[in-house]
Amino acid sequence: MNKILIFQFFALIGVSSFGQSLPQDRPNILCLVIEDRSPYQFGCYGSKDIKTPTIDGLAEKGILYTNASSNAPHCSPARSTLITGCYATTFGMDVHRETYITPQNIFFPQLLRDAGYFCTNNSKTDYNTTVNNDKLWDESSSKATYMSKDRKSNQPFFAVFNTEATHMGLVRTITTEDRPDFKKFGIDENNIFLPKHVPDLPEVRSDEAYQLKASQEADSWVKAHLEKLKSEGLTENTIVLFYSDHGGCLPRGKGFPFESGLRIPLVIYVPSKWQKELNVKEGLVVTKNVSFVDFAPTFLSLAGVKTPKFMQGKAFLGTFEKTPEKLQYGFRTNQENYHYDPSRTVSDGHFKYIRNYIPYKPFCLRNLYQWGMPANLAWDEYVMSGECKNPDWLLPYKPKSNEMLFDLEKDPWELNNLSKNPEYKSKLSYFRKQVSKHIRASKDLGFCPREMRKTKKNGLFNWVEETHFPLGNLYNAAELASSATLEDLPELLKLLESPHDELRYWGVVGFCTLGSQKMLKEVPDDLRKMLNDKEPEVVSMAAEAFCYLGEFDLGVNKLVNLLKENYDPAYSSLETLTWYPKQKEMLIKYISTFQKIAAEHANEGNDRMELGVKVRSILVNLGALPLSELYSKKDIEEGIKKNKAGRKFLYPSDIFTN
């Protein structure tokens, strides 16, 4: 960093001799949170495409973390992990975006409040619990501030400011028409860096340029908050954290179990007053693993509060700092409402392992919110046109491997799967065992299918406790189903006889695995019974299995009947089938059926939850509808308006009232 920039930074954070800079025995904590951003999109992490001097200054005089993870690639399960200090899977808070009954006293703001802190949140919560999100804070609203009249003199504060101006909604516009001239903001979209996992298409460049513009503007937002601290004389007493709620939103980022969805920028500025006490110094670059699960223990540690026994994370700063975990875990449960598709990850910083439990579902299944990004639509069109020849860019459109292993040092964009390479057999075995141990140690509830959770009247977490549900059997079933071979047939058939809906579900998943990989070519009699199971989610998955096992018409008719009821698992299965050449060919004869359903629901509106857009998505994949008609003209018109308007940052001057 040059001397002028350092001078400007010190001038920005300089301590006022007035205001509330009187001695405090505990630091204030200020979190400046952006959304949907990866580290590479900031100057301090190497970007040459934009200028982020304030954030770079924080890193230069603070701590830059290079291996920070949100644990989940969606905002609500990631935030649920952060707010509890536990993996969201432990309390069944892992489905994005759905609220569940959870224990009441698992949220760190109340512990800070009990310790005397004034806690404010401005203003996004997004925790997957029925507990009143706003009641966890002293103030939680678009006007919440540490300058509140209700905060006592010299009372330490914990304050969060979230901005949604960097959110995917910025680029979720269907079209790139009427976007800004990015060169006016110093961004040349034709020369910006693109990650290797995305194709080099104009729409991809436009989406990335728009996001970079927002990252650059986020720097001004951070600067305004630091200036507010300075004007109030709070700088020398306040630890500042800057981070994103998960990774960036280029395709195969947000929502996916890759580092592009999990890794976050994290910069922490510790004022000189507190550096010695916290055993830190300026300009640190920290490579150790830290994750959202560690944030709550760290916040408490900075306040002098011990980590409660129920929390699974470890404090990485403060009085109760612990040696960091060698391994960093992550999870993904679903894509939007439709695709239940759990994955679990583990990394030691060098190697990264992903376990996919429903491997026959390709990653390209549409999240109809995310697929409103022009980059996603362009990638789909590129692949479906047959013009895409790069095998890296075709990977998401093929069935997943049930195991993935990547060397992050050589392959940071996770394109070269080493799981089949015999040289890495011991590494693969080690990480497989670690994930298996972790889901058991954390009592992971994410293997309970989404629709089944809705039937647990007292909530999934309480139901498991009250019924003494055999979680160990559930984990065994999911692991078996994802890697099933013909040798596993006896065990899969046993699962179909289980009194537990969840175990029967995973038994049927195992038959889908066998059928989709052509290891089994006919329907066993016991599987046939599953078409009349009392649990619709079992029925839907069984119907998909029939489509792989030689009884396509019987299976697809069952799925179509469920689809007519707007049953999301049926939509997921039908879209999955469109990516298998043989099944797609047989599905084409049902085009008129889908067209009739689409016509019946043509006037329902444009919401992605409506049946019409889901059926159009199937018709697009079958070649019966151009991709340009996936979304309506009204959607496109709204997108053009959004491109003109952008998204607004709320600065302290917009928020603070005196």
Side-chain angles (χ1 to χ4, degrees):
M1 179 178 290
N2 61 47
K3 293 181 179 179
I4 294 176
L5 182 56
I6 293 175
F7 176 80
Q8 290 174 337
F9 177 75
F10 275 119
L12 181 62
I13 66 169
V15 182
S16 169
S17 59
F18 303 100
Q20 300 185 44
S21 59
L22 296 172
Q24 277 184 199
D25 60 351
R26 289 174 294 174
N28 305 314
I29 303 168
L30 173 64
C31 297
L32 301 176
V33 187
I34 60 172
E35 299 191 306
D36 301 2
R37 285 296 172 271
S38 291
Y40 77 88
Q41 295 171 311
F42 296 91
C44 54
Y45 286 96
S47 176
K48 305 297 183 184
D49 298 321
I50 56 172
K51 296 178 180 179
T52 52
T54 305
I55 297 166
D56 298 349
L58 277 178
E60 182 77 13
K61 307 307 297 181
I63 310 171
L64 178 77
Y65 291 85
T66 60
N67 278 312
S69 170
S70 58
N71 296 117
H74 278 122
C75 54
S76 65
R79 290 171 187 265
S80 297
T81 297
L82 189 153
I83 199 72
T84 62
C86 295
Y87 298 95
T89 50
T90 295
F91 297 113
M93 302 166 74
D94 53 302
V95 170
H96 175 71
R97 169 179 292 127
E98 209 162 81
T99 59
Y100 293 95
I101 297 171
T102 67
Q104 299 280 318
N105 301 314
I106 57 174
F107 308 100
F108 79 80
Q110 187 57 55
L111 299 174
L112 283 177
R113 293 168 71 184
D114 292 344
Y117 272 71
F118 188 77
C119 297
T120 66
N121 178 63
N122 189 316
S123 63
K124 189 169 185 176
T125 52
D126 214 14
Y127 322 131
N128 292 332
T129 175
T130 55
V131 172
N132 188 316
N133 288 190
D134 292 328
K135 294 292 185 183
L136 302 177
W137 304 87
D138 288 297
E139 289 184 2
S140 181
S141 73
S142 60
K143 290 293 183 180
T145 165
Y146 54 80
M147 295 303 298
S148 169
K149 60 181 176 57
D150 294 327
R151 178 176 158 244
K152 299 174 184 177
S153 177
N154 288 324
Q155 181 182 7
F157 65 77
F158 179 92
V160 178
F161 290 89
N162 299 268
T163 180
E164 295 185 22
T166 61
H167 186 268
M168 178 183 280
L170 174 72
V171 291
R172 203 250 172 201
T173 59
I174 318 298
T175 176
T176 61
E177 184 178 344
D178 275 350
R179 283 191 172 171
D181 179 356
F182 298 116
K183 288 184 179 179
K184 292 182 179 179
F185 302 92
I187 301 167
D188 183 355
E189 63 187 283
N190 294 317
N191 289 301
I192 56 175
F193 168 78
L194 285 181
K196 290 184 179 180
H197 68 271
V198 294
D200 190 349
L201 300 170
E203 294 84 355
V204 176
R205 288 191 169 275
S206 179
D207 278 6
E208 179 67 4
Y210 216 166
Q211 293 178 65
L212 289 172
K213 175 178 177 289
S215 294
Q216 195 160 264
E217 290 163 352
D219 193 80
S220 299
W221 178 77
V222 171
K223 180 179 179 181
H225 277 283
L226 296 182
E227 288 176 337
K228 182 63 179 177
L229 278 183
K230 175 186 174 183
S231 70
E232 299 296 339
L234 291 165
T235 301
E236 195 60 22
N237 278 330
T238 304
I239 296 171
V240 180
L241 294 90
F242 167 79
Y243 57 91
S244 177
D245 63 344
H246 48 70
C249 58
L250 274 186
R252 216 208 68 169
K254 176 178 180 175
F256 296 89
F258 299 97
E259 293 301 280
S260 47
L262 292 168
R263 191 166 296 195
I264 59 168
L266 171 62
V267 176
I268 302 179
Y269 174 74
V270 179
S272 56
K273 173 181 175 178
W274 296 99
Q275 287 176 8
K276 185 175 181 181
E277 188 165 335
L278 298 178
N279 192 31
V280 300
K281 59 183 180 180
E282 296 179 355
L284 282 177
V285 176
V286 176
T287 59
K288 67 181 180 182
N289 290 327
V290 298
S291 304
F292 271 11
V293 73
D294 303 313
F295 276 38
T298 300
F299 295 148
L300 295 172
S301 177
L302 291 172
V305 179
K306 287 185 177 180
T307 303
K309 290 183 178 180
F310 75 85
M311 287 189 178
Q312 297 162 340
K314 288 186 176 183
F316 55 86
L317 283 176
T319 306
F320 301 103
E321 180 179 350
K322 300 289 185 182
T323 302
E325 293 286 356
K326 179 183 177 182
L327 300 176
Q328 186 180 73
Y329 295 95
F331 62 91
R332 190 281 285 265
T333 296
N334 68 304
Q335 268 286 24
E336 194 67 36
N337 282 40
Y338 342 108
H339 308 299
Y340 173 70
D341 187 13
S343 301
R344 299 294 181 264
T345 75
V346 63
S347 173
D348 62 3
H350 183 176
F351 288 93
K352 161 83 173 290
Y353 172 86
I354 302 175
R355 181 67 180 260
N356 297 307
Y357 295 89
I358 306 184
Y360 50 88
K361 287 188 178 295
F363 278 125
C364 68
L365 297 184
R366 290 192 183 96
N367 168 334
L368 290 166
Y369 178 78
Q370 249 174 280
W371 258 252
M373 290 171 51
N376 271 114
L377 295 172
W379 194 352
D380 277 9
E381 191 163 41
Y382 186 40
V383 170
M384 289 189 290
S385 71
E387 294 179 11
C388 181
K389 304 300 181 183
N390 187 324
D392 292 340
W393 299 338
L394 291 170
L395 278 175
Y397 296 84
K398 298 178 180 180
K400 304 187 291 288
S401 172
N402 70 307
E403 293 185 300
M404 296 177 165
L405 180 68
F406 302 102
D407 183 337
L408 296 179
E409 293 185 359
K410 297 178 181 177
D411 178 28
W413 302 108
E414 296 164 284
L415 293 168
N416 182 23
N417 182 9
L418 302 170
S419 65
K420 306 299 183 185
N421 188 326
E423 294 181 18
Y424 296 89
K425 185 177 180 179
S426 61
K427 284 283 184 189
L428 184 70
S429 176
Y430 169 74
F431 286 118
R432 179 192 301 133
K433 289 176 182 176
Q434 296 308 311
V435 165
S436 187
K437 287 179 182 177
H438 178 71
I439 62 176
R440 288 163 172 80
S442 63
K443 295 185 177 180
D444 191 323
L445 302 184
F447 298 96
C448 180
R450 178 174 184 163
E451 299 301 317
M452 294 184 197
R453 300 184 189 202
K454 299 174 183 178
T455 66
K456 318 302 184 192
K457 292 182 180 179
N458 199 25
L460 177 61
F461 178 82
N462 291 324
W463 176 81
V464 168
E465 295 290 315
E466 291 164 1
T467 63
H468 305 289
F469 182 83
L471 282 175
N473 292 349
L474 182 64
Y475 305 141
N476 292 340
E479 290 169 343
L480 176 72
S482 67
S483 58
T485 68
L486 287 178
E487 293 180 358
D488 299 313
L489 269 177
E491 290 300 317
L492 293 175
L493 291 170
K494 283 182 183 178
L495 288 174
L496 300 185
E497 298 173 359
S498 173
H500 299 289
D501 300 342
E502 294 78 9
L503 298 186
R504 295 198 307 281
Y505 175 88
W506 284 105
V508 175
V509 167
F511 282 100
C512 285
T513 299
L514 293 176
S516 63
Q517 296 180 15
K518 301 179 182 179
M519 288 187 279
L520 185 68
K521 297 183 179 180
E522 59 184 22
V523 178
D525 289 340
D526 287 348
L527 179 61
R528 198 173 300 279
K529 299 174 186 176
M530 297 298 103
L531 274 191
N532 297 306
D533 195 86
K534 64 183 179 66
E535 171 52 56
E537 213 159 358
V538 172
V539 173
S540 183
M541 195 58 80
E544 184 177 343
F546 271 58
C547 293
Y548 301 122
L549 295 172
E551 298 193 29
F552 186 87
D553 290 334
L554 184 56
V556 82
N557 277 304
K558 179 67 76 170
L559 289 172
V560 168
N561 287 334
L562 289 168
L563 178 69
K564 290 177 180 177
E565 300 172 16
N566 203 8
Y567 190 60
D568 287 326
Y571 163 66
S572 182
S573 289
L574 286 165
E575 190 186 350
T576 299
L577 293 170
T578 66
W579 291 104
Y580 284 83
K582 180 180 177 181
Q583 281 70 26
K584 176 181 178 179
E585 184 179 342
M586 291 189 286
L587 204 54
I588 285 174
K589 69 180 183 181
Y590 288 86
I591 284 176
S592 61
T593 300
F594 293 124
Q595 288 173 329
K596 182 179 179 181
I597 298 171
E600 291 171 352
H601 295 271
N603 299 318
E604 282 185 340
N606 301 302
D607 190 282
R608 62 190 183 278
M609 301 306 162
E610 300 289 359
L611 180 55
V613 68
K614 298 172 190 174
V615 179
R616 291 199 298 274
S617 179
I618 294 170
L619 287 168
V620 165
N621 285 6
L622 295 178
L625 195 70
L627 192 59
S628 60
E629 294 183 25
L630 174 60
Y631 297 100
S632 70
K633 291 182 180 179
K634 182 178 179 182
D635 288 324
I636 296 170
E637 290 168 359
E638 287 295 317
I640 293 171
K641 290 179 182 178
K642 290 179 181 179
N643 281 333
K644 290 180 179 179
R647 287 171 74 94
K648 183 180 179 182
F649 283 83
L650 291 178
Y651 291 89
S653 58
D654 302 312
I655 298 168
F656 286 58
T657 55
N658 296 316

